[in-house]
Amino acid sequence: MEATLSTPPTVEVKNPKTGELLYSFQEITEVDVEKMYDTAKKAFAVISSMSVRERLNELDKIKQYLINHREEIAEFITRETGKCITDALLLEVFPSVDQIDYYQKCAEKILRDQKVPTPLLLMGKKSKIVYDPLGIILIISPWNYPFHLSFVPFVCAFTAGNAVIIKPSRITPLKGLYEKIIEESGFMKGALQIAYASRKTANLLIEKKPDKIHFTGSVDVGKIIMKQAAEHLIPVELELGGKDPMIVFEDVNLERTVTGAIWGSFTNCGQTCTSVERIFVQEKIFEPFVNLMVEKVKKLRTLANTPNPSDEKELDVGCMTANFQIEEIESQLEEAKQRGAKILCGGERQKGSHAFPPTIITNVGRDYRIQYHESFGPVVTITPFKTEEEVIQMANDSPYGLSASVWSADKKRAERIARQIVTGNVSINNVLATQANSALPFGGIKESGFGRYRGAQGLYAFSNIKSILIDHQWNRMEAYWHPYSRKKFELFSQVFETVFKRGIIPLLKTAWIGLKLELLARKERL
């Protein structure tokens, strides 16, 4: 790629529901990137010198703004994503406010210097851990939750003392929203900047060597970013895709469990990295579960069956955002049909639109693309199982490991299963619930990525975790310093026999050997 882009490409942003052109803009240039990093460096000098409480006071300005303008912001998000406005309010705006609220209560304690034990052989010294900011954080956010999945990592990074640059998706950049929030809330200038760029021009942001990259998106793009970051040894956090299983045992309340399955599968039109994409139901209740789910799904108010609802707030499921994602689902469905899968409802988009109906599929094999690869849309498969051992194997038979849910009246069994699923998050008798608690870390394993944000770990993720050991300035020499001698060696060897044992006698013996070493160190000096 050339170092400079003399004529920045123009990006058009459309409403996926109507096809209306909302606006267009030119992408950033190398000059823009230079200015952004200069601004971020100056802002970091200020942010890093602030106390945690002072940073939280700044974030409170945004918190109050989001609360007061929540419906306006939800409408802004809805225009670019096509999601229903209730999803925008509850899944984008609310968790953003809640994350600030959690840190206002807990961040000072989380980031406080932490005293740790110092071993007996280092008697007289003190040890602690401190949490320093890293510097400039580059957040590359996705199109499915353009506000939530950019704002929450920002809150984590800023609370830890960093300046932030967000590179939003060119599909849903929310251009002007952050700028308006910053300006009208009075939040400090320069601490948060938005870089409007495509994947190609985003390379410029990485080449400027941020101190950390937080990326949310697809596995393929995550690998590209990681490879580029590796050239500069830039640490990365990757929150990638998922193929989340929902395990349902025969002792559940069928009504509640099916309703949970519907929300977990089709909220945000299934365009959630933690959407339920595979449901495993114990054989005894398989047919009643499937029948009830199909019956209930057909009652959902969607853009597929209600193209122009009189009240947007009555809509259950909006439309899909990106056409290429619809095409991926259509391809998976076509392969599944050809191999004998049964589509019980949905299965085909409304002609000429992004409105794809909630779709339920049965009779799928483990090697079907729709059962193995991420679908990222309003599509879910339902498969029967017999035993715990079988369903654990089925749930883990995926390259992903982001989230899961286990449903059973037997909570001990549910937790036993939850601990055996290879994933980063598990909800028991609920779905997507771990994401509703801002105190819990979030992230995946396997091809779902690595690293965590939110919770205490979300602050440590954007900190330099520094160890400090404090000694006195005196005339004492350490026994383990030079010069070495046969006598020192023998005494150190004796330490092995006592220091790693428990009890008063080994402790006294260790102290006695330590005293001998101390006296020897005074005697034997360079």
Side-chain angles (χ1 to χ4, degrees), residues 249 313 339:
F249 286 95
K313 294 173 184 176
R339 298 180 68 179

PDB file of all heavy atoms in Angstrom, residues 249 313 339:
ATOM      1  N   PHE A 249     -31.788 -29.459  28.944  1.00  0.00           N
ATOM      2  CA  PHE A 249     -32.107 -30.757  29.515  1.00  0.00           C
ATOM      3  C   PHE A 249     -33.615 -30.920  29.681  1.00  0.00           C
ATOM      4  O   PHE A 249     -34.374 -29.949  29.668  1.00  0.00           O
ATOM      5  CB  PHE A 249     -31.378 -30.947  30.840  1.00  0.00           C
ATOM      6  CG  PHE A 249     -29.910 -31.221  30.666  1.00  0.00           C
ATOM      7  CD1 PHE A 249     -28.977 -30.187  30.728  1.00  0.00           C
ATOM      8  CD2 PHE A 249     -29.463 -32.505  30.414  1.00  0.00           C
ATOM      9  CE1 PHE A 249     -27.628 -30.429  30.550  1.00  0.00           C
ATOM     10  CE2 PHE A 249     -28.102 -32.765  30.227  1.00  0.00           C
ATOM     11  CZ  PHE A 249     -27.189 -31.729  30.294  1.00  0.00           C
ATOM     12  N   LYS A 313     -41.466   0.818  18.002  1.00  0.00           N
ATOM     13  CA  LYS A 313     -41.207   0.274  19.330  1.00  0.00           C
ATOM     14  C   LYS A 313     -41.966  -1.032  19.567  1.00  0.00           C
ATOM     15  O   LYS A 313     -41.730  -1.715  20.564  1.00  0.00           O
ATOM     16  CB  LYS A 313     -41.560   1.309  20.399  1.00  0.00           C
ATOM     17  CG  LYS A 313     -40.645   2.534  20.336  1.00  0.00           C
ATOM     18  CD  LYS A 313     -41.075   3.644  21.259  1.00  0.00           C
ATOM     19  CE  LYS A 313     -40.177   4.867  21.065  1.00  0.00           C
ATOM     20  NZ  LYS A 313     -40.598   6.017  21.880  1.00  0.00           N
ATOM     21  N   ARG A 339     -28.538 -31.136   1.414  1.00  0.00           N
ATOM     22  CA  ARG A 339     -28.075 -32.307   2.154  1.00  0.00           C
ATOM     23  C   ARG A 339     -29.165 -32.882   3.069  1.00  0.00           C
ATOM     24  O   ARG A 339     -28.894 -33.768   3.874  1.00  0.00           O
ATOM     25  CB  ARG A 339     -26.824 -31.954   2.948  1.00  0.00           C
ATOM     26  CG  ARG A 339     -25.663 -31.524   2.054  1.00  0.00           C
ATOM     27  CD  ARG A 339     -24.423 -31.181   2.854  1.00  0.00           C
ATOM     28  NE  ARG A 339     -23.845 -32.354   3.504  1.00  0.00           N
ATOM     29  CZ  ARG A 339     -22.739 -32.320   4.248  1.00  0.00           C
ATOM     30  NH1 ARG A 339     -22.102 -31.169   4.433  1.00  0.00           N
ATOM     31  NH2 ARG A 339     -22.281 -33.420   4.813  1.00  0.00           N
TER      32      ARG A 339
END
